[in-house]
Amino acid sequence: MSSTLPAIPGYSYGQPDVPFSPLSLTELEQLKQAVLWTSEDEKYLRQAGAVLADQVDAILDLWYGFVAAHPHLLRYFADHQGQPIPQYLEAVRRRFGQWILDTCLRPHDQDWLNYQYEIGLRHHRTRKNRTDQVTTSATAVVPLRYLVAFIVPITVTIRDFLARKGHSADEVDKMYHAWFKAVTLQVALWCQPYVFPGDY
Amino acid sequence: MSSTLPAIPGYSYGQPDVPFSPLSLTELEQLKQAVLWTSEDEKYLRQAGAVLADQVDAILDLWYGFVAAHPHLLRYFADHQGQPIPQYLEAVRRRFGQWILDTCLRPHDQDWLNYQYEIGLRHHRTRKNRTDQVTTSATAVVPLRYLVAFIVPITVTIRDFLARKGHSADEVDKMYHAWFKAVTLQVALWCQPYVFPGDY
């Protein structure tokens, strides 16, 4: 995939050290039905990827600005003195940019499903701070309620960026909703490590 | 509140038997910031309540039709033979209709926060099937991944109903996004019983 940036530290998509998702591909298909997923969404998500590709830094600036403006969110990137850890913020940022492209462009196969599990583990106390060897982080876990709540800012802020390349209002709306579904689907997958297996 | 229907079985909003939410009102305020909540959302959500009030049955028909069309969703209302339990579906439906109005019209106070916890418990194995004394249900829990995934259908299907009363496209969009935020916020709260306290 030409838009994959080379050598992002800690970005292990498709690598053998990514654990196997406890969810099956059949269960993934059923979950996709629950978010009303259609082949049209796939098409418009790919279009969104083309629209967003050269705006990734601007999107991340907006998202990071939002987090930085709220101490109760920034604390998940902060040390015990409450100071944000620049190397941690920067390391996550590079993978976050790649995540935007992956969300739009990667097929929903076993590698994709496994990596959603990995992302969940990296927010959960199982693996938070480990990918970037952050030893000074004050927080051991990103609370699940924020994972779910972030569906909103990660979704609604993307619409303006989707509208900047001259597409019709209808096309922007379709890209926007494909993005909304894709984000919600992923957050539902990221929740797995937080929940008793029988309740997930 | 005039739009509260009288005597809905199992609807215990504000009653003393509703447990106290483990989340504080301060933590709720912080979570609301994470979904970009503003006073404008409050205003447009109230407007949405007025728009939706006489369409509640049509909305529920649509949502129930969606669930009924997917055996892997309908099973949470089904018995061990896979047959949907009509009394269970109907009992939940009446509260679900009231939930639409409550989502739009109830203030986010302690009673509201407590009832979100109660709703979470009723989806979780802690209390699923108990409110309606369903003894034949084949499922002890609505899996968390479906709670999160349902943010999409519960959100996107509401837009057409919001657009049916002659409001401008801009007003419909504002009502729609206030609804989206309100639904996501509530789902984030409903997840609480599923998650280890330290991870929630």
Side-chain angles (χ1 to χ4, degrees):
Chain A
M1 197 169 63
S2 62
S3 47
T4 302
L5 306 171
I8 299 174
Y11 177 69
S12 58
Y13 197 108
Q15 298 301 308
D17 58 330
V18 175
F20 214 77
S21 169
L23 212 70
S24 70
L25 285 170
T26 303
E27 289 166 320
L28 172 62
E29 279 313 307
Q30 293 179 331
L31 197 62
K32 287 172 75 167
Q33 290 176 30
V35 299
L36 306 176
W37 191 266
T38 68
S39 55
E40 198 185 65
D41 293 312
E42 219 161 296
K43 175 187 142 191
Y44 281 102
L45 206 48
R46 221 165 290 137
Q47 189 175 75
V51 167
L52 299 177
D54 66 357
Q55 303 186 81
V56 164
D57 263 318
I59 297 165
L60 292 171
D61 283 346
L62 184 70
W63 290 349
Y64 269 60
F66 170 64
V67 169
H70 294 87
H72 72 281
L73 303 177
L74 189 59
R75 65 190 289 265
Y76 301 105
F77 288 105
D79 62 22
H80 288 89
Q81 284 73 47
Q83 294 303 309
I85 306 165
Q87 307 88 309
Y88 187 21
L89 281 159
E90 182 53 31
V92 169
R93 185 182 164 111
R94 293 190 62 186
R95 294 194 298 273
F96 209 171
Q98 184 60 47
W99 173 82
I100 294 171
L101 301 177
D102 285 349
T103 295
C104 295
L105 303 174
R106 293 277 198 186
H108 293 175
D109 56 13
Q110 187 68 51
D111 275 344
W112 182 89
L113 183 60
N114 294 348
Y115 207 61
Q116 303 313 317
Y117 184 51
E118 172 76 18
I119 293 175
L121 291 167
R122 290 181 183 191
H123 286 79
H124 186 248
R125 66 177 69 247
T126 322
R127 297 207 185 165
K128 184 177 182 299
N129 305 321
R130 297 201 189 173
T131 304
D132 304 304
Q133 291 100 45
V134 178
T135 55
T136 52
S137 171
T139 49
V141 61
V142 179
L144 178 128
R145 67 184 187 273
Y146 284 119
L147 247 63
V148 177
F150 260 66
I151 291 171
V152 172
I154 295 294
T155 296
V156 302
T157 54
I158 216 74
R159 187 159 62 167
D160 283 350
F161 292 102
L162 292 172
R164 282 184 189 170
K165 298 288 173 79
H167 294 85
S168 72
D170 180 61
E171 279 178 307
V172 170
D173 195 62
K174 283 175 172 154
M175 288 190 281
Y176 178 54
H177 279 86
W179 174 266
F180 171 30
K181 293 175 185 181
V183 169
T184 306
L185 176 66
Q186 288 182 71
V187 170
L189 294 169
W190 298 347
C191 289
Q192 182 145 15
Y194 290 76
V195 181
F196 286 106
D199 293 347
Y200 174 71
Chain B
M1 199 168 62
S2 62
S3 47
T4 303
L5 306 170
I8 300 175
Y11 177 68
S12 58
Y13 196 108
Q15 299 300 310
D17 59 330
V18 175
F20 214 78
S21 169
L23 211 70
S24 70
L25 286 170
T26 303
E27 288 166 319
L28 172 62
E29 279 311 308
Q30 292 179 333
L31 197 60
K32 287 171 75 167
Q33 290 175 28
V35 299
L36 306 176
W37 192 266
T38 68
S39 55
E40 197 185 68
D41 293 312
E42 219 161 295
K43 175 185 142 196
Y44 280 101
L45 206 49
R46 220 165 289 136
Q47 189 177 76
V51 168
L52 300 177
D54 68 355
Q55 304 186 80
V56 164
D57 264 318
I59 296 166
L60 292 171
D61 283 346
L62 184 70
W63 290 349
Y64 268 60
F66 170 63
V67 169
H70 294 86
H72 72 281
L73 303 177
L74 189 59
R75 66 189 290 262
Y76 301 105
F77 289 104
D79 62 22
H80 287 88
Q81 285 72 47
Q83 293 303 309
I85 306 165
Q87 308 89 309
Y88 187 22
L89 282 159
E90 183 52 31
V92 170
R93 184 183 165 111
R94 293 189 63 187
R95 295 193 299 274
F96 210 171
Q98 183 61 48
W99 173 82
I100 294 172
L101 301 176
D102 285 348
T103 295
C104 295
L105 303 174
R106 294 277 198 185
H108 293 174
D109 57 13
Q110 187 68 52
D111 275 344
W112 182 89
L113 183 60
N114 294 348
Y115 207 61
Q116 303 313 316
Y117 184 52
E118 172 75 17
I119 293 175
L121 291 166
R122 290 182 183 191
H123 286 79
H124 187 248
R125 66 177 69 246
T126 322
R127 297 208 185 165
K128 184 177 182 299
N129 305 320
R130 298 199 189 175
T131 304
D132 305 303
Q133 291 99 47
V134 179
T135 55
T136 52
S137 171
T139 49
V141 61
V142 179
L144 179 128
R145 66 184 188 273
Y146 284 119
L147 248 64
V148 176
F150 261 66
I151 291 172
V152 172
I154 295 294
T155 296
V156 303
T157 54
I158 217 72
R159 187 159 63 168
D160 282 349
F161 293 100
L162 293 171
R164 282 184 189 170
K165 300 288 173 80
H167 294 86
S168 71
D170 180 60
E171 279 178 306
V172 170
D173 194 63
K174 282 174 172 156
M175 289 190 282
Y176 179 55
H177 279 86
W179 175 265
F180 170 31
K181 293 176 186 181
V183 169
T184 306
L185 176 66
Q186 288 183 71
V187 170
L189 294 169
W190 299 347
C191 289
Q192 183 145 13
Y194 290 75
V195 181
F196 286 105
D199 294 347
Y200 174 72

